[in-house]
Amino acid sequence: MQESDGPAPTSFPRPPNLLDGSRTSLRQILWALVFALTLPAVLIATAGFRSGYRAERETSDRRLQETARALSLSLDREIEKNEMVLRVLALSPAIAQGDFAAFHRQAREVGLASQSRIALIDMDGRVLLNTRTTYGAPLPDNWRESVLRKMQETHKAQLSDLHADPITGQALITIDLPVVIDAKVAYILSAAIGPEIFQRIIADQRVDRDWNAAVLDRSGRIVARSRSPAEFIGQLANPNIRDASAMSPEGNVQSVTLDGISVRAYFSKSPAYGWTFVVSVPVTELAASFQRSLFWLFILVGCILLGVLLAAILSRLIAKPVDRLVAAAQALGTGREVTGTTTRVLEFDTIQKALADAASDIRAQERHREEALARIAESEARLRLALHACHLGSWEYTPSTGAFEASSQCRAHFGQGPDGPFCYDDLIAGIHPEDRARQAEAVAQALDIRSGLEVEFRVVQPDHGERWIRISGRVRSGTDGDLSLVGVSQDITEQRLADERQGLLLHELNHRVKNTLATVQSVATMTRRAAEQGDEGAWDAFMGRVQGLAKTHDLLTATQWQGASLEDVLRSELDPYQDAMRQRIRLRGPRVNLQPGAVLALGLAIHELATNATKYGSLTLPEGRVSVMWAVALSLSPPVLIVEWVESGGPPVTPPRRQGFGTRLIQRGLAQQLGGEIKLDFQPEGIRCVITFPVKAVLAEPAPAEDSAERYAS
């Protein structure tokens, strides 16, 4: 019996062969990628290191120039400190009274450098005293007749260049200050300072031992030097540096030091006294930065070449695993159609064919699960973000079982760590004993009538501090019928404190407003009297004083009425008259914080002086100047704050025939309220006003120590 052949086997169409055609292999792409990255990397590295070297050089030049500029300013501050000491001493009553023995003691106690000395000279050149010797010891006459004549003509302080003492031969710098009594120069205060203080400035900078730092006086002579100072102090600096500093206040120049080292010298001339600070760096050290950049460039090129070699090895290692992956992917995707276009890469096209077919079913199965999990995760994330943003802690309490769960934020509210045990009894134990009954009553009422829970109580922290916590919750019925409370906790301590502070601030505001109205009433009363006496500008003056008072109030408001610095009070009143270069009005003095009452009184006084200067004094002319200096004199008994107002460059001044309203206002505000003493001197070249306050009546904090009292404002 012959069997039939049966139905013919079904033939499936063969999928298109993606391996046909000419394409690029994976090895070729790897090599192309290596070279595509290598060549730009070399070019970019070369350009980058070149740019880095230039940037490093520019940064080094700028840093060294800024260092020279900062140190030149420190020269001015050091000289100004000694000049201010002389100015404070010039105000000593002992000079005017002729009590030179007392003044000799004061001068020895001012605290200048150990190598410095102070001398008092009369206008005939006789040295009356010198702090280097005991009072009464015979002293030689002063030999600087030209300086004495110049001081008598200019009434200004003079700073000498470095010179040798004719008696001891010691290198010295001299600061001379006229002592003016009854508008005449009666004496000369002279401070002889050794180069040691400038040598100390250099030593404090800890200059590299291969560098050289030097201080030059106006003639270009070396006053202090970091390298071999004993050998070179007193010699003239290199002509290159002297010529460059004469042409420009700051810059750098190629030069050679006096000990024969080729350097680039960075110099800056001090703006006040014209002395120059020089920082010299060896040329070999500057060239080292280029060598470092070139060294790292060679290192980078070597790394790139090494990377090329490693890429050749890795390309062979990558190809074999890819071949095995292709075989596995073909087995997984047998009989399925390939979707997508060719990548023109042999191995990648094969992997795409196998994995695309195998992943289609897996993606379909996982899609719904991932979407459900994503919705749940998104909902939980929103809840966590909301609780975190509001600083809320979550909790749940089931009374029937005693189960209690709390988030880490809720645990923190009760002073507990995030991982330690924390039950409902621990929560109750943390509540302040006086508030536990109120909390228990609120929980019982919420469970009884199934209402919301709202209660606030104090929590005692582990460090025995107290925090206010607000608990909010709702009653929830579980699947087993048990009731539970679910809610949040919130720390409201800051809110409670804010409410208390608001009450205190309202009370303080009422007090401050009453004081301000009393001041305005006093100014208005005095202004009305001036108007009744025929003063046509009384109303404008009154408005100016009110505006000045408003500026002072702004300063006090910025510090919550804790006072303000003396410099801020002066700038608030005088900045409208300042020029663009900030040279018309000059402020110098230490940092001093004033009490609120002193701020108001002094603000009105400065406003009156500034108004008078703009109407009749130095500020009426473009070349007019105003200088305000202050100092805390702790050596006097009692300690006082001295503020000096000096006008110059204005029209000639003539003493007034009668006391004006502004003068009365200053005396009432300062003398009566603060116990200050005011001295007005109507010199022809400009008004000079010296105001002396008791420290305890005006300062908002203890007076600064002697060393900090000599730090001046800009």
Side-chain angles (χ1 to χ4, degrees):
M1 184 173 180
Q2 188 177 5
E3 297 179 354
S4 63
D5 294 336
T10 303
S11 61
F12 293 93
R14 183 180 179 183
N17 189 0
L18 297 178
L19 303 181
D20 296 337
S22 176
R23 287 163 295 172
T24 306
S25 69
L26 179 61
R27 292 181 179 86
Q28 293 172 334
I29 290 179
L30 288 174
W31 277 106
L33 179 62
V34 169
F35 285 110
L37 294 176
T38 301
L39 183 59
V42 172
L43 296 177
I44 292 173
T46 303
F49 277 105
R50 182 174 180 273
S51 176
Y53 167 71
R54 294 176 62 184
E56 182 179 354
R57 178 63 182 272
E58 292 173 359
T59 301
S60 178
D61 287 347
R62 184 168 54 254
R63 176 174 58 83
L64 290 170
Q65 190 64 61
E66 290 174 353
T67 300
R69 186 183 305 118
L71 292 175
S72 69
L73 294 176
S74 69
L75 293 178
D76 276 354
R77 288 195 295 270
E78 186 66 31
I79 297 172
E80 282 182 351
K81 181 178 73 173
N82 290 276
E83 182 180 337
M84 182 55 72
V85 170
L86 294 181
R87 290 187 178 277
V88 172
L89 286 175
L91 299 175
S92 174
I95 297 179
Q97 297 170 4
D99 188 359
F100 298 131
F103 179 76
H104 184 270
R105 291 192 299 273
Q106 292 181 358
R108 298 191 66 170
E109 295 173 357
V110 296
L112 289 180
S114 60
Q115 299 299 323
S116 303
R117 58 179 180 268
I118 297 175
L120 182 65
I121 308 167
D122 65 13
M123 299 313 297
D124 294 329
R126 292 179 301 172
V127 179
L128 303 179
L129 57 89
N130 191 313
T131 58
R132 181 58 63 86
T133 63
T134 59
Y135 179 73
L139 299 170
D141 292 341
N142 190 282
W143 54 275
R144 297 176 294 128
E145 298 179 0
S146 60
V147 174
L148 296 178
R149 288 196 302 270
K150 190 173 182 179
M151 298 284 286
Q152 193 168 13
E153 294 172 359
T154 63
H155 288 204
K156 294 182 179 179
Q158 302 291 328
L159 173 68
S160 72
D161 288 335
L162 184 69
H163 63 274
D165 190 294
I167 299 175
T168 64
Q170 179 186 1
L172 296 174
I173 301 97
T174 306
I175 302 176
D176 298 294
L177 179 75
V179 179
V180 180
I181 300 177
D182 296 332
K184 294 182 179 180
V185 179
Y187 303 96
I188 302 297
L189 265 180
S190 179
I193 305 170
E196 293 80 9
I197 61 172
F198 304 104
Q199 197 69 36
R200 187 173 62 252
I201 293 177
I202 295 177
D204 291 342
Q205 306 308 312
R206 298 181 179 177
V207 179
D208 192 288
R209 64 178 183 178
D210 294 329
W211 295 11
N212 183 48
V215 177
L216 310 181
D217 62 14
R218 290 184 293 263
S219 64
R221 198 171 299 279
I222 298 175
V223 178
R225 195 174 190 267
S226 62
R227 293 167 59 93
S228 305
E231 181 180 354
F232 296 102
I233 286 179
Q235 296 188 25
L236 289 174
N238 189 289
N240 292 345
I241 298 177
R242 285 185 285 144
D243 294 341
S245 62
M247 297 175 61
S248 175
E250 63 180 26
N252 61 82
V253 64
Q254 196 77 16
S255 180
V256 177
T257 63
L258 296 181
D259 43 3
I261 300 175
S262 180
V263 296
R264 176 158 291 277
Y266 299 82
F267 64 91
S268 179
K269 185 177 295 184
S270 65
Y273 296 97
W275 285 31
T276 304
F277 199 101
V278 183
V279 178
S280 301
V281 181
V283 174
T284 55
E285 184 170 338
L286 295 175
S289 61
F290 174 77
Q291 296 174 356
R292 287 194 299 269
S293 299
L294 190 61
F295 170 78
W296 286 112
L297 178 60
F298 287 148
I299 292 295
L300 179 61
V301 172
C303 291
I304 292 175
L305 294 177
L306 180 60
V308 172
L309 178 61
L310 292 176
I313 299 173
L314 291 176
S315 64
R316 300 185 62 184
L317 297 177
I318 291 174
K320 293 181 180 179
V322 169
D323 292 339
R324 290 194 296 268
L325 181 61
V326 169
Q330 286 176 335
L332 181 64
T334 300
R336 302 203 179 179
E337 186 178 358
V338 176
T339 60
T341 58
T342 178
T343 62
R344 298 296 179 184
V345 179
L346 176 63
E347 292 82 4
F348 288 173
D349 280 350
T350 305
I351 295 173
Q352 175 180 290
K353 177 182 179 301
L355 296 182
D357 295 339
S360 59
D361 292 339
I362 298 175
R363 287 196 301 269
Q365 297 173 4
E366 293 291 328
R367 186 178 300 114
H368 299 293
R369 177 174 176 270
E370 290 175 356
E371 290 176 354
L373 292 176
R375 287 193 295 270
I376 295 174
E378 183 179 0
S379 177
E380 292 180 350
R382 284 198 300 269
L383 178 59
R384 286 194 299 269
L385 287 174
L387 292 175
H388 181 72
C390 298
H391 303 285
L392 299 176
S394 59
W395 55 269
E396 181 176 359
Y397 171 54
T398 304
S400 60
T401 62
F404 180 71
E405 296 181 1
S407 67
S408 58
Q409 184 65 49
C410 179
R411 290 167 174 258
H413 288 162
F414 288 86
Q416 301 293 326
D419 301 324
F422 185 53
C423 61
Y424 190 71
D425 291 338
D426 296 330
L427 183 146
I428 298 299
I431 300 175
H432 195 282
E434 298 178 359
D435 299 341
R436 292 175 185 171
R438 183 170 68 254
Q439 185 271 346
E441 181 181 356
V443 171
Q445 182 178 2
L447 293 172
D448 185 33
I449 62 177
R450 299 192 178 186
S451 63
L453 173 64
E454 295 287 342
V455 62
E456 298 177 0
F457 48 77
R458 290 167 292 176
V459 172
V460 180
Q461 300 293 315
D463 59 358
H464 304 292
E466 295 182 0
R467 308 289 295 179
W468 277 94
I469 304 299
R470 175 185 292 156
I471 295 295
S472 302
R474 292 291 183 271
V475 177
R476 183 176 71 89
S477 178
T479 56
D480 53 0
D482 289 340
L483 296 180
S484 62
L485 283 170
V486 179
V488 296
S489 63
Q490 181 181 13
D491 190 332
I492 60 171
T493 306
E494 296 298 329
Q495 179 181 343
R496 285 271 186 164
L497 294 176
D499 293 340
E500 295 176 1
R501 286 196 296 268
Q502 183 177 9
L504 293 175
L505 287 176
L506 288 175
H507 180 268
E508 182 65 17
L509 177 62
N510 182 44
H511 176 69
R512 297 298 182 187
V513 168
K514 287 182 178 180
N515 288 344
T516 302
L517 290 178
T519 302
V520 173
Q521 181 181 8
S522 175
V523 173
T525 300
M526 297 179 69
T527 304
R528 185 190 66 182
R529 294 174 183 172
E532 290 174 352
Q533 295 174 1
D535 187 353
E536 296 180 356
W539 173 252
D540 293 337
F542 173 72
M543 293 302 296
R545 293 174 182 119
V546 172
Q547 291 175 359
L549 186 62
K551 291 181 181 179
T552 307
H553 270 257
D554 289 341
L555 286 176
L556 291 174
T557 302
T559 62
Q560 298 182 353
W561 282 81
Q562 299 301 313
S565 72
L566 175 55
E567 182 181 0
D568 290 342
V569 175
L570 294 172
R571 290 191 181 279
S572 175
E573 295 294 341
L574 299 179
D575 271 356
Y577 312 109
Q578 184 64 280
D579 60 348
M581 300 300 293
R582 306 194 70 82
Q583 297 297 318
R584 194 178 193 192
I585 298 175
R586 189 173 185 187
L587 308 179
R588 292 190 299 173
R591 175 81 178 181
V592 175
N593 291 326
L594 302 178
Q595 300 176 9
V599 170
L600 293 173
L602 187 59
L604 285 174
I606 297 301
H607 174 80
E608 293 300 324
L609 290 172
T611 301
N612 182 75
T614 56
K615 288 183 177 181
Y616 315 107
S618 62
L619 297 183
T620 59
L621 299 179
E623 61 272 15
R625 297 291 184 267
V626 172
S627 174
V628 183
M629 297 177 290
W630 64 94
V632 178
L634 298 179
S635 60
L636 300 180
S637 181
V640 295
L641 169 65
I642 302 173
V643 180
E644 182 183 30
W645 170 288
V646 179
E647 299 181 20
S648 60
V653 176
T654 58
R657 297 179 179 178
R658 62 182 181 86
Q659 188 182 49
F661 171 69
T663 304
R664 294 197 304 271
L665 182 61
I666 293 175
Q667 291 178 340
R668 173 171 295 184
L670 299 179
Q672 295 183 5
Q673 296 182 16
L674 304 177
E677 180 182 356
I678 304 161
K679 294 182 180 180
L680 281 171
D681 189 0
F682 296 92
Q683 299 181 2
E685 59 271 16
I687 292 177
R688 178 174 178 265
C689 179
V690 179
I691 307 173
T692 305
F693 303 102
V695 165
K696 64 179 181 180
V698 296
L699 294 193
E701 59 185 20
E706 286 292 344
D707 56 349
S708 63
E710 303 300 338
R711 294 181 295 171
Y712 302 112
S714 59

